[in-house]
Each structure stands twice: as C-alpha cells, then as structure tokens.
Amino acid sequence: MTYKYICEATLGVDTQTYVKREADEQLYEELKKGKFCYVFNSRKTGKSSLRVQVMNRLKQEGIAGVEIDFSGKGTQLTTPEKWYNSILLNLNRKLSLDVNLKHWLSECDWLSPQDRLAEFIDSILLKRISQNIVIFIDEIDSVLSLNFPTDDFFAYIRACHNQGQSGENPAYQRLTFCLLGVATPSDLIQDKKRTPFNIGQAIELKGFTQEQAAPLAKGLEGKVERPIQVLNEILDWTGGQPFLTQKLCKIVLEGAETSNPDIAELVQHYIINNWEENDNPEHLGTIRDRILSNQQRTSQLLGIYQQIITPPNPPLLRGGKDSTNSSLIRGEKDSSNPPLAEEEKDNLTPPLSKGGQGGVAADNSPDQMELQLSGLVVKKHGQLQVYNRIYREIFNLDWVQQELAKLRPYQEKFAAWIASNRQDTSTLLHGKALHDALQWKVGKRLSDEDNDFLDACRADELQELKKNNESLREFRKQFREVFKIEEAGRMTLNLFQSKEKQIEALRAGIKAGEDLKKWIPDNPPLSEYPVTNPLLVLQKILAKIRQRCQFVGHNGSVWSVSFSPNGEAIATASYDGTAKLWDLQGNSLVTFTGT
C-alpha cells in the first residue's frame, strides 16, 4: 500500500499516517468512564481526526457514538427551529432510531426548539438505546456566528451532565458529550448572568513528539537516506504541529530532488517564501485572520505576541552556556548539533526574559487564550511561546509592526516616539489629536506600548495645562496691575476738573504715564499698548492746563494789587501792615512795613 501523507482533510480510521498522542488515550478513557470532555484547540491540530479514532475505539467497546458537525448546520440565515431540527435529524439517522421525524415534530410543535431536543433525548434516544452513548459535537465554534443565542443549548448539555452526576435520572448516566472546536468554555454561555459552562474534562492536544511521530518516517523510506533524521529536522521546523508536519513530510516525499534533502531550503521555498500563495490548503492565513479579524482586541493580541518574539539576551543552549549558532539561525543543518531529543528540550531552562524564546508568563487571560486559539503560540514551561520556527519566520517582528501600523491613527507620531527611546516629547499628541486617539481607543484592547504612549501624551498634556494655568495666573496678576494704571488715569482726569487741584492732577497723570512705561519696554506702536487711557488723560491735561504763579508772603488779606508801568513788577498791600514788590515769577523783591 502506498504511504500517503494527508494534510487536506480529516484522517480516516485506517490512515497510516495518523499519529497517536497522549490525548488519544486520555479522551478514550474519560469518555469510556462516562465523563463529559471537551477538546478546544486551534485549527489544523487534529481534533476531528482524534474524534474519528476515539469514536471508533468506543464503538468497538459497545458504546454508541454519534457525531454532529456544527460547521454544516446552516449559516447566519438559519432559524433556531431549523438548527435544532438538523440536530434531531442527525441523531435519528446516525443512531438508526427509525423515528418518523416529520410526524414527531408535528406532534411536538407546541414545544420550543430546545425543549423538543430535550424531549427527543429523554423519551426516544435514552429509551431506544440501552448502552452508553457519546454525542460528539465538532466545530463547536461555528455556533458563535449564528444570528441567535445558543446559551440554552449549552445550558441543556450542562443539565444533562448534572442529572447524570446527581443520580436524579439514572438514564442520563449513560449519556455524555464531547465538544471539539476553536473556543473556550467561557465562549459557550455568553450571558454573564447565567451559570457559566463550567463542567467537563479538558483534553490537551499537544504537538507531536519525536517518539510519537517516529512512525511517519516509514513513508520516507526509500526516498531519503536517513528517514528518522529527516523527520526530526522536519519536527524541528514544525514543532510537531500536525498539519505542518504532514505537509512538510509530503513536500519531502513529492518535491525533494535528492536523497539528502535540505529541509531548511524546502521550508523556505515551499512554505515561507510567498507564503500567502503557497498556503494551500489554507492554514497560515487562518492564523493571521484569527488574530486580525476582531479589531476590538487585535492590538492587544499583537502586543502580547510582540513581547513573545522580542529578541532576548543570548539564549541558553546545551549545558546552560550563553552562545549563538549562526547555522541554526539561518536554518541550515549542523551535524555537530543535531536536533534535540524531546527530553533534552524539556531540560533546557528558558531565558529569564520578558519576551523572545522564553515567551511571556501564561496567565490564562482571555487575550492569551485567544492568542493560543489562533494556533500561533502554545503554553510550555508556564509560558507562552511561538509554536514553531515556521510561524516565527512568517509572523515576525516586521509583520507585527506592519499590522500595528495599519491600526493606529497616530502611527507616525508613535513610531517617532519609540525611535527616540520614548524621550522625544515633541512627538506626543495634544489637543484634538489626543482627543481623537483616546476616542479611537474606546472599546479596544491596546498593546502595552500603545498604552504607554497615550499615557505619556496625557501626562504631557496635563503638564502643559499646568504651565498654561501658571501663565494665566501671571497674566491675571499683570492685568490687575495694568488695570490699576488705567483706573489711576480716570481718577486723574476727575481730579483735573477741580481747578484748585489741577497741578496735583498733572503730577498724578505724569506718574500714571511713567507706570505704564514699565509694561512697554520695547517701545511698540500705540496699537500694541495694553492700555492707552493714562496717555490720553495726560495729553488732555497738558492741553488745558494754564501756567499760574503763586505769591506767598503776606500774613493777612491782600487789599490792593498793581502792576508797574512797564509790566515787569507787581505791588501788593495787605492788612498785615505790609506792602510788597514782586517780579512776575512770584519772587518777593522788596517789603515795606507801615507804622
């Protein structure tokens, strides 16, 4: 029989290239015990093939099994009634229940679709099948795109489990479910007011180890000189990812032109170069779309992944020594350092760095779980790591930066800020630009770097606002001083109206003008003066004031004043018994005293 590697479809029961993993035995044993199980993982990891194998083994043990593939249960245009009816149709046909379903549905049309499913299982399925029953529901994530809620469906599955566990209805102890798909338990019941989907045994579906994948080398016999070594080199690139491992084995079998193929060269030519064109059957595009499709969280997913692949300090290789191996970086074969055995890999201590080979600490947050469901990363040693070298080459730092750049409305400023090692404050957003960026952020989960940038923008904006407030306070202080000068000008004009105080008003006007001069040291044009009233008042006073001389010297009232014939002197007589002769400037020239 020709050995055939299959990466296009679910592997059948007798497929030679099916690789058994720990999950095969775990799922089989748990379902055989009647335990509820779920296998949630990314696409192309062998979930459906696992289901085929385990379902076949259970049937050989006398356990009835039925598979319902939700990917074929209609589109968003379907109705709840049709969707539930298709489930009943699958159960009826695949378990050979021989029920006239149209007639039965007609009799039960008074029930809701979900209640009809419950009635069918309770009164027909469990009555007509006496052995244990396992219902496999594949592609469970397909229900998340339906245009009606399916919380009731999963709540019913949980109710079946609870009935069997509590012994309330012994028949339900014979019924169990196995859910498979790209989802998390929290996705199944989305109404947070209801009890979450918190039942079942999670079955972890890991990549192939060298030991588990060893049978795949059989297909390379006669094609390559050292099948096991070639297979190990393949695993070194794929990380044991089932789809990529089968695809690369197929490439070697069909595309290698030598018995000693250069795996790195084949990977580069057939998978990495022009990967979007070579991605057939589609796999890498599915990973990309999973990460980029939900704009509400894409930035955060890219941010986490960016931390994972950020180059760390020189990695620890064998023996814990710091070193680098350029041939491994280039993807070349190195006979002096062959691929590590699985146990050797497990003994390596990841670098104590935030990102890169050591990954980031796994915390089971929704964003991390979503990133794992994309298939791009896996959890190992308590950290998230890139699944394999192929993914790392394709979804590299340049790719992350390009995708982030497409998302940010402030990309140019952000890139400049990062390039300046976060020091150039001139790149920060202010005013409307910052407001628009914060509005864009609403409802999104951004990367740590994005949040740091926006926080820096807000901090700088606040600092600028404080400076503006200080400037405003100083302006107000200056305004009060200038206002006092203007007020002094008005008061001077009022004072000038009194003829007895015109000289005093003149002095006050001159002082107001001198005070104003302090605020205009650069002698600007009059249009730029803060106030002009003091100048106008002083000008008005100077235009109207008349020069007068004061004659001071008599101790009594003056009863007579006469000018000299030439008009250059003035004579005065007073009741104090004196007469005085004055010049025109008010200076006393001669004093005459009477007897």
Side-chain angles (χ1 to χ4, degrees):
M1 180 182 294
T2 303
Y3 205 88
K4 185 178 181 181
Y5 296 104
I6 301 175
C7 58
E8 297 88 351
T10 300
L11 303 185
V13 174
D14 299 323
T15 303
Q16 291 177 296
T17 54
Y18 181 78
V19 176
K20 289 186 178 181
R21 293 171 274 181
E22 294 179 7
D24 286 76
E25 200 63 30
Q26 291 174 355
L27 183 59
Y28 167 72
E29 291 294 339
E30 294 300 320
L31 291 177
K32 187 177 177 181
K33 295 174 186 176
K35 296 286 185 67
F36 177 91
C37 298
Y38 57 88
V39 185
F40 291 160
N41 210 313
S42 58
R43 298 201 178 280
K44 303 292 186 180
T45 52
K47 296 183 297 296
S48 296
S49 298
L50 171 67
R51 183 255 306 161
V52 170
Q53 298 292 326
V54 172
M55 185 172 170
N56 182 63
R57 291 181 65 185
L58 291 173
K59 285 183 176 181
Q60 293 177 4
E61 294 288 337
I63 298 174
V66 59
E67 169 263 328
I68 301 175
D69 185 348
F70 273 173
S71 64
K73 296 302 167 203
T75 65
Q76 292 185 353
L77 300 178
T78 193
T79 64
E81 185 171 26
K82 291 180 179 179
W83 188 77
Y84 275 98
N85 286 350
S86 69
I87 297 175
L88 297 179
L89 183 63
N90 271 271
L91 294 175
N92 189 41
R93 287 180 176 176
K94 294 182 179 181
L95 291 173
S96 303
L97 298 176
D98 298 327
V99 174
N100 186 331
L101 198 56
K102 289 184 179 180
H103 178 71
W104 186 87
L105 288 172
S106 177
E107 290 183 342
C108 297
D109 63 354
W110 57 279
L111 293 172
S112 68
Q114 189 267 324
D115 285 338
R116 283 201 293 268
L117 173 63
E119 176 63 20
F120 186 88
I121 289 178
D122 190 69
S123 63
I124 296 178
L125 180 64
L126 293 175
K127 294 289 177 62
R128 299 193 181 189
I129 298 180
S130 58
Q131 66 262 49
N132 289 351
I133 308 166
V134 178
I135 299 178
F136 291 87
I137 302 180
D138 208 349
E139 301 289 345
I140 198 73
D141 47 294
S142 296
V143 306
L144 304 179
S145 62
L146 293 172
N147 63 351
F148 55 87
T150 53
D151 289 5
D152 289 342
F153 175 75
F154 294 108
Y156 169 69
I157 291 178
R158 186 181 58 212
C160 291
H161 170 78
N162 292 339
Q163 286 189 67
Q165 292 292 309
S166 65
E168 177 183 347
N169 190 334
Y172 281 86
Q173 294 177 354
R174 296 187 292 108
L175 176 66
T176 192
F177 292 83
C178 178
L179 308 184
L180 306 98
V182 186
T184 65
S186 60
D187 291 331
L188 304 185
I189 295 183
Q190 300 184 17
D191 186 350
K192 303 308 176 185
K193 297 179 181 179
R194 305 183 68 168
T195 304
F197 197 80
N198 52 3
I199 61 171
Q201 174 67 45
I203 304 297
E204 188 175 2
L205 198 56
K206 299 179 182 179
F208 301 155
T209 65
Q210 288 184 358
E211 182 180 0
Q212 292 166 350
L216 291 176
K218 183 178 180 180
L220 301 176
E221 293 176 358
K223 178 68 176 181
V224 300
E225 293 180 2
R226 295 181 294 276
I228 290 294
Q229 181 176 331
V230 170
L231 176 61
N232 288 343
E233 291 178 10
I234 290 173
L235 294 173
D236 186 53
W237 276 99
T238 67
Q241 204 282 336
F243 172 85
L244 288 176
T245 301
Q246 294 271 1
K247 181 173 183 176
L248 198 46
C249 284
K250 185 176 181 179
I251 289 173
V252 172
L253 188 63
E254 300 176 359
E257 298 178 354
T258 174
S259 61
N260 187 26
D262 187 328
I263 301 303
E265 183 179 324
L266 292 175
V267 170
Q268 201 72 37
H269 179 74
Y270 287 99
I271 298 179
I272 296 176
N273 293 344
N274 300 316
W275 70 265
E276 291 176 307
E277 295 181 10
N278 291 329
D279 192 28
N280 185 29
E282 186 179 34
H283 171 61
L284 300 169
T286 302
I287 293 175
R288 175 202 59 200
D289 295 345
R290 178 88 187 189
I291 294 174
L292 304 181
S293 60
N294 187 343
Q295 293 188 1
Q296 297 298 316
R297 69 195 314 173
T298 294
S299 295
Q300 186 66 12
L301 297 183
L302 291 173
I304 296 172
Y305 182 65
Q306 188 177 45
Q307 295 176 32
I308 295 173
I309 63 175
T310 298
N313 296 325
L316 294 178
L317 299 181
R318 292 178 182 174
K321 297 180 180 179
D322 292 342
S323 61
T324 57
N325 189 321
S326 59
S327 64
L328 289 180
I329 294 174
R330 294 193 304 268
E332 299 174 1
K333 293 185 292 184
D334 182 5
S335 59
S336 65
N337 192 7
L340 297 175
E342 195 64 28
E343 60 271 15
E344 289 182 274
K345 291 181 179 179
D346 290 337
N347 289 331
L348 289 180
T349 302
L352 299 178
S353 62
K354 186 178 181 181
Q357 295 287 354
V360 298
D363 58 15
N364 293 325
S365 65
D367 288 324
Q368 285 198 4
M369 295 180 73
E370 179 65 21
L371 193 57
Q372 290 181 72
L373 286 177
S374 73
L376 188 54
V377 302
V378 292
K379 184 164 65 174
K380 192 174 184 180
H381 302 300
Q383 295 183 310
L384 292 188
Q385 303 178 8
V386 184
Y387 200 134
N388 54 55
R389 294 171 65 185
I390 293 175
Y391 294 164
R392 182 182 288 275
E393 288 286 330
I394 293 173
F395 304 108
N396 53 29
L397 279 174
D398 288 341
W399 176 81
V400 174
Q401 293 297 338
Q402 290 171 9
E403 294 303 328
L404 282 175
K406 295 175 184 177
L407 297 173
R408 299 188 190 101
Y410 47 85
Q411 169 60 21
E412 185 176 349
K413 294 276 190 180
F414 175 83
W417 184 70
I418 293 295
S420 72
N421 198 24
R422 307 186 178 201
Q423 299 302 311
D424 187 357
T425 57
S426 69
T427 64
L428 299 176
L429 305 175
H430 294 93
K432 186 177 185 302
L434 176 57
H435 174 76
D436 292 345
L438 294 176
Q439 286 295 109
W440 174 80
K441 176 185 176 182
V442 174
K444 296 182 177 65
R445 297 180 177 92
L446 301 184
S447 69
D448 291 340
E449 284 187 329
D450 281 87
N451 288 322
D452 290 346
F453 175 71
L454 293 177
D455 287 344
C457 292
R458 283 185 288 196
D460 195 65
E461 180 95 330
L462 181 60
Q463 188 65 27
E464 193 68 26
L465 183 61
K466 289 181 180 178
K467 290 181 180 179
N468 291 339
N469 287 339
E470 291 175 0
S471 299
L472 182 60
R473 284 193 292 270
E474 182 63 25
F475 170 77
R476 288 172 176 169
K477 178 181 177 181
Q478 295 175 3
F479 177 80
R480 286 193 294 270
E481 295 295 328
V482 173
F483 180 77
K484 289 179 182 178
I485 296 173
E486 185 179 27
E487 185 67 17
R490 286 194 295 268
M491 293 177 64
T492 297
L493 187 60
N494 292 335
L495 185 64
F496 183 74
Q497 304 301 321
S498 173
K499 293 183 179 181
E500 294 79 8
K501 296 184 178 181
Q502 287 186 347
I503 297 299
E504 182 180 344
L506 178 60
R507 293 194 187 101
I510 293 172
K511 183 179 185 303
E514 291 175 344
D515 290 342
L516 178 61
K517 189 176 181 180
K518 298 177 183 178
W519 298 98
I520 47 174
D522 51 351
N523 196 28
L526 190 63
S527 61
E528 296 182 12
Y529 276 50
V531 292
T532 57
N533 186 52
L535 299 180
L536 297 176
V537 169
L538 183 59
Q539 186 179 32
K540 192 172 185 179
I541 290 174
L542 291 174
K544 291 185 177 183
I545 196 168
R546 296 291 180 266
Q547 182 178 1
R548 295 188 302 172
C549 295
Q550 295 183 6
F551 297 83
V552 181
H554 288 294
N555 294 323
S557 300
V558 176
W559 55 270
S560 178
V561 178
S562 298
F563 281 92
S564 65
N566 61 5
E568 294 181 356
I570 299 175
T572 61
S574 172
Y575 284 112
D576 63 1
T578 64
K580 289 181 177 290
L581 187 64
W582 314 78
D583 62 19
L584 297 181
Q585 285 72 40
N587 297 314
S588 177
L589 301 176
V590 181
T591 300
F592 302 96
T593 304
T595 57

